[in-house]
Amino acid sequence: MIWGESDASVHFCEENYNDYVAEIFNTTSSIFYILVGVYFIETPLYRLAYSTIGVGIGSMLLHGTQRKYAQWVDEISMLCLIFFAMRQINKKMKDIYIFPII
């Protein structure tokens, strides 16, 4: 592969298909996360929308490359999505500010 040897600690059921994309179906299906995020970006749920876009990008990176740095992007974006979803559900968490501009 042009990305180098796979060093991610997670591997899925797809086999490597070619030299450019490690898991073609998981990589291409991640576009739906991005599309859903774009759909909700102009709503009060914009924090969830940006986090969902991040999950799509991270998932595309991980499944496309199977590299450790891409796994970090994927997992951190999922944690951010969970944080903002919990913050949306639990009104008491509104007082927690992780970033001053968010």
Side-chain angles (χ1 to χ4, degrees):
M1 291 187 65
I2 65 170
W3 306 104
E5 272 306 306
S6 172
D7 60 356
S9 64
V10 292
H11 298 283
F12 297 88
C13 57
E14 285 188 58
E15 295 181 19
N16 293 340
Y17 283 92
N18 59 40
D19 289 338
Y20 301 105
V21 179
E23 299 173 347
I24 191 77
F25 294 117
N26 283 332
T27 303
T28 55
S29 67
S30 298
I31 193 75
F32 292 106
Y33 286 105
I34 296 170
L35 294 175
V36 168
V38 168
Y39 182 78
F40 285 101
I41 218 158
E42 294 292 328
T43 67
L45 302 173
Y46 66 93
R47 290 182 182 101
L48 289 172
Y50 283 116
S51 298
T52 304
I53 291 170
V55 168
I57 292 169
S59 181
M60 289 178 87
L61 281 172
L62 172 62
H63 295 292
T65 64
Q66 284 293 306
R67 296 302 308 259
K68 181 66 85 176
Y69 66 85
Q71 183 179 351
W72 275 96
V73 173
D74 186 38
E75 291 176 0
I76 289 172
S77 64
M78 286 188 279
L79 290 173
C80 289
L81 178 63
I82 291 167
F83 173 79
F84 288 120
M86 292 300 296
R87 192 171 166 198
Q88 185 70 30
I89 292 168
N90 187 354
K91 302 303 180 192
K92 293 178 187 174
M93 288 182 69
K94 294 288 184 191
D95 298 332
I96 299 173
Y97 294 102
I98 191 168
F99 301 110
I101 59 171
I102 295 178

